Amino acid sequence: MPMAQDGVAAAGRGWPTRVRLAAAGAAVVLSLPPDRLPTVLHWGADPGPLDDAALAELEHAARPPLATNGVDEPAPVALLPEPWTGWTGSPGLEGHRSGRDWSPRFTPVDVVVDRRDAGGTVTVTADDAETALRLVLETELLASGLLRLRAHLTNRGSTPYAVDALRLALPVPTSADELLDLAGRWAKERVPQRRDFTVGTHLREGRHGRTGADAATLLVAGRPGFDFGHGEVWGMHVAFSGNHHVAAERTFGGERLLLGGELLLPGEIELDPGETYSSPRLYAGHGDGLDGLAARFHGHLRARPGHPRSPRPVVMNVWEAVYFDHDLDRLKELADHAADVGVERFVLDDGWFGSRRDDTAGLGDWHVSEEMWGAGRLKELVEHVKGLGMEFGLWFEPEMVNLDSELARAHPEWLLQVPGRLPVEARHQQVLDLTHPGAFDHVLTSVLAVVEDLGVDFVKWDHNRDLVDAGSTRTGRAGVHAQTLAAYALLDRVRAARPALEIESCSSGGARVDLEILERTDRVWASDCIDAHERQEIQRWTAQLLPPELVGSHVGAERAHTTGRRLDLSFRAATALFGHLGIEWDLAEAGEHERAELRAWVEYYQQVRDLLHTGTTVRRHLEGGDLWLHGAVRPDRSEALYCVTVLERHVTWPPGRVLLPGLDPARTYRVEAAGPGATSQRDPRVYPAWWQHGLRLTGATLGSVGVQVPALDPDRSALIHVEEDR
Ligand code: GLA
């Protein structure tokens, strides 16, 4: 361990005074004082190696003057801010022991520094004898330069300790003067919103008992005017699929913090003697521009051993094609069409089980419907699908139940509720309390039995309602925390039993998109809205967290079911291309000509999916937001695919030259119109002179001079393929 540099063991204490961890151009410098919790001296661009003297000077430089009207010993805010220090912003821990022990003062008792080639972990254990609490703070810099934080609080007393909040905080510099986070709703997830970073707290609370369609996803602070390609940014993501909060707080003392944690309901966490509460993991990244920040998340996700590596198969999901109208012959015909256009995975959605003929009944009864699929008809469909060379996928909503179901009738005590009344219904359903061992086992065994029996390769795992009044009949307490962990445990058990099974996280579309659910699922359903115009925005901002291979994106019918908008197939397909491509459209209704065009797009996706699913995401917002560019650039910069999209008609026209970012300035590239039918486009009023025959230009020219792009009508896209000319 290179202790002479970047942190030296303080005499007699056995742990360093200060530590710098660095990875992929990012660094975090921690001060580890002997008598208080660690503070972050720096989080951002890597200042390079610092010896112990330099680290001491860095800390010295960070010490503020003794401003009037503050405490006499001002100290930087700790990773877990403590009021005893004089901090009057949001405290890191709120809790008590029957009204006492409400303001702990933790003193470190152990520090473990585990350095890796890139990044590493600092684990600080701290005790407070007075309140009989132990705190463990983990700060990990991942190889991608992403920070991962977590806190564990243990009750070492002899009486219960109530935890109301446990938050961790990261400082951002005063140059971070603008905030961006995401909002949204059903079928319109991840809408960006911006504001100044003013004094006070910009607080985003998620109280849905799931991640939420309106989740902040990432809360970003940055230099004013930051965009995809420029401006230093710092962002935080709370990886939790239950209630959570994330906040940007600016105090009168000038501190600017990003804070995050679980949002605990009254009395939800009461630690018995010896018990530990663990916070969700917080992920935080620094980058140059929003693309730089996204690259840290994508890099981290792609480095996971469990990240999907096989080519992402083309999906056919039948939901918008048939809804609840399940008919063997019709579905077989759909499977024939699907196989014919190149689909590789056929997914039967809601409606195959119990008495589920619409959304009012049957949820929870995970056995094949006798009425619709009896006499082996579902098996026949599966065999038909597999006979055509496709995988078979099936929809489940394991955490939910209709009151009109065998399950709810047999076990009314398994429904989350406050004593004496059931929660208001949502989509005619209630939530099954998975902390009841009986409920957990019932769901686990019935899901696994169907998967086993039918040979299911893929599960679309849905979660279609908020948790309202979600009390446990087992404990009488608020149950969102325990339910969230139980849902994770259920997924873990399913995966352990069927390691090859792929799982999609769906929640009324994109209401369960977070990094903890992605530890146990293989893709998310980004939205129930597959209108390509809307999807451009949904996918663009989902990409702030997730790389495209984890984001399901389907080609829908000409007339979008959620919005009524009519869009050309080429635009629908070019939009779905930049994700994990699928089709959700009654292909029996489509004409032969449309199916042939779709087949060409599927083949094109199969050709470029390796580039799309390993490439670096680039996004640009041009012409005041009327013209969008996005693309994937191979990490070795030998190849890229860009997509230009006109979303609105612009005040001036044509759009002019567009810069193609991410290429190596020193290399020469061939630039070509790409995608099915691209070069047959000859209208000189729309297509630039180079469109038919391509160009040969250096990365420097493409990145700083740019090329003319087609003067498209709104809701149209054009693809540009760039490959190194060796
Ligand atoms: C949710 C999902 C949809 C579909 C329906 C089925 O709304 O988001 O994609 O699976 O449930 O009921």
Side-chain angles (χ1 to χ4, degrees):
M1 195 159 78
M3 294 297 277
Q5 186 176 292
D6 298 351
V8 74
R13 280 203 299 128
W15 69 71
T17 313
R18 295 165 202 95
V19 168
R20 162 186 161 272
L21 298 174
V28 62
V29 181
L30 291 177
S31 169
L32 303 165
D35 55 348
R36 55 174 75 203
L37 292 178
T39 59
V40 175
L41 295 175
H42 171 72
W43 165 44
D46 183 8
L50 300 166
D51 63 16
D52 200 47
L55 282 170
E57 286 292 290
L58 188 154
E59 177 151 21
H60 201 47
R63 191 160 286 280
L66 198 94
T68 49
N69 209 19
V71 294
D72 295 340
E73 262 186 77
V77 193
L79 209 47
L80 182 124
E82 289 180 297
W84 75 263
T85 58
W87 169 248
T88 52
S90 295
L93 171 62
E94 291 179 74
H96 61 95
R97 210 181 282 284
S98 301
R100 304 180 70 90
D101 297 340
W102 51 275
S103 184
R105 174 182 180 153
F106 286 102
T107 307
V109 293
D110 190 33
V111 175
V112 177
V113 180
D114 172 20
R115 286 176 194 282
R116 295 190 287 266
D117 288 345
T121 308
V122 177
T123 308
V124 176
T125 304
D127 283 347
D128 178 33
E130 210 48 51
T131 55
L133 294 171
R134 165 161 288 190
L135 179 70
V136 177
L137 293 177
E138 295 166 3
T139 307
E140 182 177 10
L141 190 70
L142 299 156
S144 66
L146 205 58
L147 262 180
R148 180 160 62 188
L149 310 174
R150 198 170 197 196
H152 309 272
L153 183 77
T154 303
N155 177 12
R156 291 165 47 108
S158 54
T159 55
Y161 190 85
V163 184
D164 296 333
L166 189 64
R167 317 179 171 88
L168 295 176
L170 284 172
V172 296
T174 49
S175 58
D177 211 22
E178 187 175 350
L179 300 176
L180 175 140
D181 61 354
L182 305 182
R185 61 173 166 90
W186 175 76
K188 194 167 178 66
E189 294 85 345
R190 285 169 283 288
V191 178
Q193 50 181 13
R194 283 182 181 252
R195 72 195 61 232
D196 293 339
F197 198 161
T198 51
V199 169
T201 302
H202 173 57
L203 172 64
R204 296 297 311 280
E205 292 189 329
R207 292 180 181 269
H208 301 283
R210 52 174 160 172
T211 322
D214 62 343
T217 308
L218 261 122
L219 175 54
V220 178
R223 288 184 191 271
F226 64 82
D227 205 337
F228 294 113
H230 83 282
E232 220 179 347
V233 287
W234 292 259
M236 181 180 276
H237 167 71
V238 181
F240 199 58
S241 318
N243 293 340
H244 61 284
H245 60 88
V246 64
E249 187 162 308
R250 181 174 166 197
T251 69
F252 73 84
E255 290 95 351
R256 291 171 194 236
L257 301 177
L258 298 179
L259 298 116
E262 183 175 358
L263 191 156
L264 296 169
L265 293 171
E268 192 164 25
I269 300 290
E270 193 168 78
L271 298 177
D272 280 334
E275 265 189 349
T276 298
Y277 165 75
S278 296
S279 77
R281 295 184 178 86
L282 306 184
Y283 289 83
H286 164 264
D288 185 19
L290 291 164
D291 284 351
L293 180 58
R296 300 239 186 253
F297 283 92
H298 299 184
H300 160 65
L301 289 163
R302 286 175 170 169
R304 299 170 308 157
H307 190 73
R309 309 240 169 254
S310 60
R312 301 291 73 212
V314 180
V315 172
M316 153 69 79
N317 179 299
V318 305
W319 177 242
E320 287 204 358
V322 301
Y323 293 103
F324 287 105
D325 188 8
H326 287 198
D327 173 83
L328 176 62
D329 291 335
R330 189 165 167 210
L331 284 158
K332 273 173 142 178
E333 191 195 348
L334 202 50
D336 292 338
H337 284 305
D340 183 52
V341 299
V343 165
E344 296 158 312
R345 173 184 286 169
F346 184 88
V347 183
L348 183 63
D349 210 279
D350 194 358
W352 58 269
F353 51 89
S355 57
R356 186 81 164 172
R357 296 297 76 77
D358 56 33
D359 61 11
T360 62
L363 201 58
D365 299 337
W366 303 114
H367 52 80
V368 175
S369 155
E370 263 310 305
E371 183 194 339
M372 302 294 281
W373 289 106
R377 286 204 297 271
L378 188 46
K379 270 212 164 126
E380 191 182 328
L381 177 69
V382 177
E383 275 157 24
H384 186 78
V385 164
K386 297 210 173 188
L388 291 164
M390 297 184 286
E391 294 178 6
F392 181 74
L394 198 57
W395 183 94
F396 286 90
E397 195 178 356
E399 296 141 89
M400 301 290 166
V401 61
N402 284 127
L403 285 186
D404 185 0
S405 66
E406 293 159 25
L407 183 62
R409 277 186 286 274
H411 290 287
E413 77 286 6
W414 283 356
L415 307 186
L416 286 169
Q417 58 195 279
V418 295
R421 61 168 206 262
L422 277 176
V424 57
E425 286 196 7
R427 212 188 183 209
H428 314 285
Q429 65 194 55
Q430 296 289 357
V431 188
L432 202 57
D433 183 350
L434 291 175
T435 70
H436 276 283
F440 187 95
D441 288 345
H442 168 82
V443 178
L444 178 65
T445 15
S446 33
V447 169
L448 284 177
V450 175
V451 167
E452 172 83 43
D453 184 43
L454 292 177
V456 173
D457 304 295
F458 170 83
V459 164
K460 176 175 174 183
W461 186 298
D462 215 332
H463 179 288
N464 276 315
R465 69 158 294 169
D466 285 350
L467 271 56
V468 172
D469 273 354
S472 170
T473 52
R474 210 175 35 77
T475 63
R477 288 176 177 272
V480 173
H481 171 81
Q483 175 75 3
T484 310
L485 299 192
Y488 289 156
L490 184 63
L491 277 154
D492 289 342
R493 291 283 297 278
V494 169
R495 280 170 81 88
R498 308 286 306 185
L501 182 75
E502 290 206 8
I503 303 179
E504 170 173 51
S505 168
C506 175
S507 181
S508 319
R512 193 144 74 174
V513 174
D514 63 76
L515 292 198
E516 200 56 44
I517 202 74
L518 272 161
E519 285 298 310
R520 24 191 81 75
T521 51
D522 302 282
R523 70 172 219 169
V524 300
W525 183 226
S527 177
D528 275 350
C529 184
I530 52 176
D531 167 334
H533 179 90
E534 300 287 330
R535 269 289 179 141
Q536 284 283 335
E537 176 160 81
I538 294 166
Q539 290 173 199
R540 161 160 287 213
W541 288 101
T542 302
Q544 195 54 48
L545 188 70
L546 304 183
E549 63 272 22
L550 297 181
V551 181
S553 53
H554 295 175
V555 180
E558 182 192 2
R559 185 171 190 277
H561 291 201
T562 44
T563 62
R565 200 179 264 133
R566 283 180 191 279
L567 297 166
D568 281 1
L569 177 52
S570 62
F571 180 55
R572 278 139 56 208
T575 303
L577 186 73
F578 283 81
H580 176 183
L581 182 100
I583 298 163
E584 194 159 335
W585 174 18
D586 184 357
L587 291 184
E589 216 183 70
E592 187 47 53
H593 179 73
E594 276 181 314
R595 286 197 294 266
E597 192 182 340
L598 185 58
R599 191 179 307 121
W601 278 99
V602 166
E603 280 165 11
Y604 186 67
Y605 164 79
Q606 288 162 335
Q607 249 176 57
V608 294
R609 65 184 154 190
D610 178 60
L611 165 63
L612 295 173
H613 295 168
T614 58
T616 306
T617 296
V618 292
R619 294 162 295 175
R620 292 293 182 270
H621 181 88
L622 308 165
E623 303 286 344
D626 294 337
L627 179 73
W628 283 11
L629 172 94
H630 61 263
V633 184
R634 269 203 201 281
D636 68 4
R637 298 195 284 178
S638 61
E639 190 187 3
L641 185 68
Y642 299 96
C643 182
V644 274
T645 298
V646 173
L647 285 166
E648 301 290 342
R649 300 177 73 236
H650 193 61
V651 58
T652 62
W653 208 240
R657 283 190 296 216
V658 165
L659 310 183
L660 301 181
L663 301 169
D664 180 353
R667 284 186 245 174
T668 301
Y669 295 90
R670 270 183 291 112
V671 183
E672 278 162 356
T679 46
S680 58
Q681 304 289 357
R682 288 173 198 281
D683 184 347
R685 286 166 305 178
V686 178
Y687 293 91
W690 68 267
W691 200 251
Q692 311 291 321
H693 305 293
L695 294 164
R696 193 175 172 280
L697 289 168
T698 63
T701 312
L702 292 167
S704 58
V705 181
V707 297
Q708 285 282 350
V709 297
L712 301 166
D713 285 331
D715 290 332
R716 287 207 159 69
S717 285
L719 298 174
I720 300 173
H721 183 250
V722 175
E723 192 160 13
E724 187 179 356
D725 196 7
R726 293 176 203 262

